[in-house]
Amino acid sequence: MSNDYFLRTEVLPYELPALFSNNFLCKLHELSESKIKSDFHVTQGRKKLKNKAFFGASILRGVNYTKPLDFIGTNANKKRRTLSLLHPYGQILTMLYTLRFQDYIVDTAKRSSFSIRSPRKRNSNEINSNDTKIKNWQRIYESINLSSTNQVTSEEDKVLFNHFFSYFRTDNYSSMASSTFVKQIQNQFQYVLKTDVQNFFPSIYTHSLAWALYGSKSVGKEQKGDKNSFSNLTDYVLHNINFDETNGIIVGPEFSRIIAELLMSVVDNKVEVKIYKKYRYRFRVNYFIIRFVDDIFIFSNSLEANRNIFLIMKDVLDEFNLKVNDKKLFIFEDSATVFTSCIDEIKQLFELFKVQKRELTLFSVLKGKDALDSDPNTGKRGRLIDWKNLFNGIHQIASKNSQDLGKITHYSLSSINSILNFVPDLSIKERKVYVVIIEGLSGLLKNSCTYTAIQHYILNISKLIHNLESSKNSLEMQSELGPV
């Protein structure tokens, strides 16, 4: 794998149209990591500059700040929000910053005991398949061991990296909610208080982030003149890529979530210290906090303890001009219900469909090739009635959970791809199945036509077309060979 994947994974909002790309930047030799490291005069992975000017590369000279392109995007719940596409210079600047300070970013993020999505290591440039298998087994062990420090991060058991960094435990909300790790916490603690930070990214003051990284506002102001420090350059980059704006950071790129993690790791650390100092509550023993970006879940065995911890969290957030969202404050008296959702029902539908396919395949093997109405491909493909039941079941769940249409659509479209693993025989029965699948996919997309849904839809249709072409080529070859 090329080591220039930062620009592919960290700077573009995923809500951008599918045809948009920044490949022209990714292909520039001047922006290759090896070239940048050469300019930085790097030795043993540590950046030692030839001079004190960090941004001395000729491509960056003379630009004071850039203005991102704002556009309106729609999230999974059809809520409209303003997102930002970084100016090409801003994309380059974030890459240079991250390459120089990747070790500082990881070290700072490790301060948090609460974050389940903090960057823990830089993804390597090559993937070793044997190491991947070992990491996969290690992850299984750590998922059932609450006391584990979790040495396996989110992408070490993957064959294709999705991010520049690997994250602690997980990088997405869905896998967090269904993880064995979370279920262990639910078994240990009865009550949950759930909340989030109001208007999170637009509320982050870039100067206060620098002060947080220094440890205090007074120290931050004293060190204001150090233009090349990690803290001050973090501040510089954030307002430089956002039209010189210090109130708020841009919404959309993964880079912003990395930066937000730096601030929240400081918040988490302060909260943990204050909780113990005031109430002698011990993390993992008397309570547990899970934070996913700005979503906060407080677990304990006492409603009073939850309230005490929440008030400390609120006070510490206030120190950084961040506010708890009172409209999204929920208390659960049974921790097992905090992550239950309509997605669990959708999962059951797909599991039932897979079980039915396996039973059909087994039946075909035991009874012979004529067992399934002279259609031996049914076990691989699934019966027409099973596909109809799958799509009808999804639509019934969607009609009862209109507020979660986006989540239902995204999960369903992504899951269907894994069961389109058959080569068609172009029989009349199979054509009917194809019609049902295509109509079902189109119906799901109609429910929530977001960028992510469109991506999954295109992948599914492409897979169907590929399967049809494979079948057609196979038949043409048989026709050319003639009867045997």
Side-chain angles (χ1 to χ4, degrees), residues 376-393:
N377 203 29
T378 303
K380 298 178 183 178
R381 180 190 63 235
R383 296 176 301 179
L384 179 65
I385 187 64
D386 295 333
W387 279 102
K388 286 183 177 180
N389 288 339
L390 176 64
F391 285 113
N392 287 338

Side-chain angles (χ1 to χ4, degrees), residues 11-176:
V11 298
L12 300 182
Y14 75 85
E15 296 91 345
L16 282 170
L19 294 177
F20 185 91
S21 81
N22 60 352
N23 283 339
F24 71 99
L25 286 181
C26 299
K27 294 178 180 179
L28 285 176
H29 171 69
E30 291 81 359
L31 298 180
S32 68
E33 187 171 336
S34 57
K35 180 67 166 64
I36 292 170
K37 284 183 175 180
S38 175
D39 289 344
F40 286 171
H41 192 56
V42 175
T43 59
Q44 298 180 345
R46 296 286 181 177
K47 288 74 184 171
K48 296 182 179 179
L49 307 186
K50 293 177 181 178
N51 53 58
K52 290 186 177 181
F54 168 46
F55 304 111
S58 59
I59 195 170
L60 298 174
R61 288 177 184 158
V63 181
N64 292 322
Y65 55 80
T66 60
K67 183 178 181 180
L69 175 64
D70 294 336
F71 64 99
I72 302 298
T74 306
N75 65 12
N77 294 323
K78 294 189 175 182
K79 183 179 179 181
R80 293 166 65 84
R81 58 176 183 161
T82 301
L83 302 167
S84 297
L85 170 63
L86 287 174
H87 186 281
Y89 166 80
Q91 297 179 37
I92 296 169
L93 191 59
T94 59
M95 179 179 69
L96 294 178
Y97 163 86
T98 305
L99 287 177
R100 180 180 177 187
F101 291 117
Q102 54 187 306
D103 295 332
Y104 290 84
I105 290 171
V106 169
D107 289 343
T108 302
K110 284 181 178 179
R111 298 180 191 176
S112 172
S113 300
F114 306 155
S115 177
I116 202 169
R117 197 190 186 273
S118 59
R120 289 302 173 99
K121 65 178 293 186
R122 157 77 187 276
N123 280 328
S124 60
N125 299 320
E126 295 181 359
I127 299 175
N128 184 302
S129 58
N130 289 330
D131 287 346
T132 297
K133 292 177 182 178
I134 293 171
K135 295 292 186 181
N136 190 33
W137 282 106
Q138 189 177 345
R139 176 188 289 281
I140 294 172
Y141 165 74
E142 291 176 349
S143 69
I144 60 176
N145 184 4
L146 270 185
S147 62
S148 170
T149 55
N150 205 80
Q151 299 301 313
V152 181
T153 51
S154 65
E155 301 197 11
E156 289 182 84
D157 57 351
K158 300 288 176 50
V159 295
L160 181 64
F161 294 138
N162 296 316
H163 300 292
F164 183 81
F165 290 105
S166 275
Y167 292 91
F168 185 52
R169 298 203 183 274
T170 185
D171 64 341
N172 69 84
Y173 189 95
S174 178
S175 64
M176 174 200 72

